[in-house]
Amino acid sequence: MSALAPLIAERIRERGPITIAEYMAICLGHATHGYYMKQVPFGREGDFTTAPEISQVFGELIGLHLADVWLRAGAPNPVQLVELGPGRGTLMADILRATKGVPGFHAALSVTFVEMSPVLRAEQKARVPHARWADRLADIPSGQPLLLVANEFFDALPARQLIKTARGWQERHVALEDERFIPVVPEDAPLLDALVPAALQGAPEGSFYELLGGEEDAAVLNQRLSQDGGAALIIDYGHAKHSLGDTLQAMRQHAYADPFTAPGDADLTVHVDFEQIIERAGKALRVLGPVGQGRFLRALGLDIRTAVLAKANPPKAEALVVASRRLADSEQMGALFKVLSLSSPAWPAPAGLDS
Ligand code: SAH
């Protein structure tokens, strides 16, 4: 049994079934036993691998994308570079290495990580020692243009799952049955039809609709980009348009696991509904994409950069090519993973997202 299981069981016994969002929040973020709070989950030894851990070229191209839009915006100084959910800090280290030669960029920059996990903060400090840390995006002072990147952050935020029942759309909860956690829809759960897009409300009984977490981050991002200028890149796996389906998944040692077994010992995520992020961004921002990660990286020069690195390091050439294909080929990460750009309309359009 996981260390969290008895704590969640007690809570359910005391107060009744908890929502999927509450369950995810405890599993991932519980101060001592939460999945991200107690360990470094990435890499071959861990439970899953993310794009920056697959190839340095991922972060390098994102660094050039950000430095390019900053230069074309007139190289504002100072500028804040913020990453949401930086994991081991690898993406930021690659961004910074790739942009060292951009005149004035590093002198203008301050780097802030939004990270809840002390274990991961320590990892990030080892790779980017001069960074600052914040618990939430809202805690970062306003008043300076913002460059922001978030890779596989929104999928890890507590999401709500709604299910179409005979009564209407109701929220999925987690209950306790014979000391095991099971998903249920309590009969008296409120009707939430208003939260489901009109076009999907008539879906058949048993359909799922998921509501992404991160409303506060979206609102702050919206306000900062329109007020202070800047550009944000949101990269994640998911769908471009609202869609139906149960995408709650648990990953453990690179394999799918049951989300309701061993809470806190597996990564829990949902697919990201990019249309929800765009709707939250409101009308004040420029929205580009989402485009497939493969198309984005290739537009920014993935193949050329890979060839240059391969030529400089022949023993690694094949591994570099394999890694780039993994990031970009549509049957690998290139299509399921998508890139969305939100930016200030007062800034020039960021590169790599033309349709
Ligand atoms: N971007 C990294 C890691 C992705 S995993 C990569 O691509 O490798 C998700 C990251 O978001 C972890 O660093 C996790 O600790 C952090 N995180 C998850 N929920 C968070 C929250 N509510 N607030 C701050 N950080 C969070």
Side-chain angles (χ1 to χ4, degrees):
M1 204 201 307
S2 71
L4 261 189
L7 304 179
I8 299 176
E10 183 165 323
R11 186 153 159 176
I12 294 174
R13 258 184 237 112
E14 275 171 12
R15 287 193 249 157
I18 57 175
T19 64
I20 294 288
E22 289 171 281
Y23 180 75
M24 270 183 93
I26 302 171
C27 288
L28 299 178
H30 182 276
T32 36
H33 305 301
Y35 181 73
Y36 285 115
M37 306 304 264
K38 61 180 182 185
Q39 68 200 331
V40 177
F42 322 98
R44 211 165 299 155
E45 308 283 293
D47 294 310
F48 59 100
T49 305
T50 57
E53 306 298 336
I54 291 171
S55 171
Q56 67 184 78
V57 182
F58 181 78
E60 291 173 348
L61 294 175
I62 287 172
L64 295 176
H65 166 97
L66 295 172
D68 165 67
V69 73
W70 171 81
L71 268 179
R72 287 186 291 116
N77 180 356
V79 63
Q80 314 216 38
L81 176 55
V82 173
E83 182 175 358
L84 306 179
R88 297 173 68 229
T90 307
L91 172 58
M92 186 59 76
D94 292 338
I95 289 174
L96 294 174
R97 194 185 57 255
T99 55
K100 245 189 215 143
V102 177
F105 191 49
H106 284 206
L109 269 189
S110 59
V111 175
T112 308
F113 288 137
V114 175
E115 174 58 65
M116 66 176 179
S117 160
V119 178
L120 291 174
R121 282 187 181 203
E123 288 280 318
Q124 293 151 19
K125 193 168 177 58
R127 288 176 188 81
V128 187
H130 59 276
R132 283 180 244 173
W133 281 264
D135 291 329
R136 303 172 319 147
L137 182 57
D139 295 340
I140 299 176
S142 60
Q144 293 178 12
L146 177 67
L147 295 171
L148 179 140
V149 61
N151 184 60
E152 290 206 42
F153 174 72
F154 285 90
D155 66 76
L157 299 180
R160 301 173 69 180
Q161 286 193 311
L162 308 185
I163 299 185
K164 179 72 172 288
T165 68
R167 297 171 290 274
W169 289 92
Q170 291 179 294
E171 188 152 8
R172 196 185 200 200
H173 286 65
V174 179
L176 197 59
E177 195 183 87
D178 303 331
E179 296 306 302
R180 294 176 51 179
F181 299 110
I182 51 156
V184 295
V185 180
E187 259 190 46
D188 58 353
L191 290 180
L192 300 172
D193 295 36
L195 298 180
V196 179
L200 299 181
Q201 279 181 14
E205 232 178 279
S207 300
F208 280 69
Y209 183 71
E210 295 169 337
L211 292 162
L212 210 55
E215 290 94 333
E216 190 204 58
D217 296 317
V220 174
L221 186 59
N222 214 355
Q223 188 240 342
R224 297 293 169 88
L225 289 177
S226 26
Q227 177 189 306
D228 299 331
L233 270 187
I234 295 168
I235 307 158
D236 225 308
Y237 50 100
H239 29 275
K241 297 282 173 200
H242 295 320
S243 60
L244 298 170
D246 171 13
T247 71
L248 181 67
Q249 69 182 37
M251 283 289 270
R252 203 174 172 183
Q253 289 150 6
H254 299 270
Y256 293 110
D258 172 14
F260 304 107
T261 309
D265 290 349
D267 188 32
L268 277 187
T269 61
V270 292
H271 284 207
V272 166
D273 179 339
F274 281 93
E275 195 173 359
Q276 283 176 21
I277 299 184
I278 292 171
E279 283 169 0
R280 289 174 191 171
K283 302 261 179 284
L285 300 183
R286 178 196 287 109
V287 177
L288 296 176
V291 302
Q293 172 174 292
R295 207 173 100 195
F296 175 75
L297 294 175
R298 290 210 158 104
L300 294 176
L302 175 73
D303 297 322
I304 296 171
R305 178 67 186 143
T306 306
V308 168
L309 284 174
K311 200 168 170 199
N313 193 348
K316 284 229 168 128
E318 196 182 326
L320 284 159
V321 171
V322 167
S324 288
R325 286 207 188 116
R326 184 165 167 202
L327 294 178
D329 281 4
S330 47
E331 57 289 357
Q332 299 196 62
M333 294 170 76
L336 174 63
F337 282 75
K338 297 176 176 67
V339 182
L340 175 70
S341 161
L342 301 177
S343 64
S344 158
W347 274 43
L353 295 121
D354 308 317
S355 37

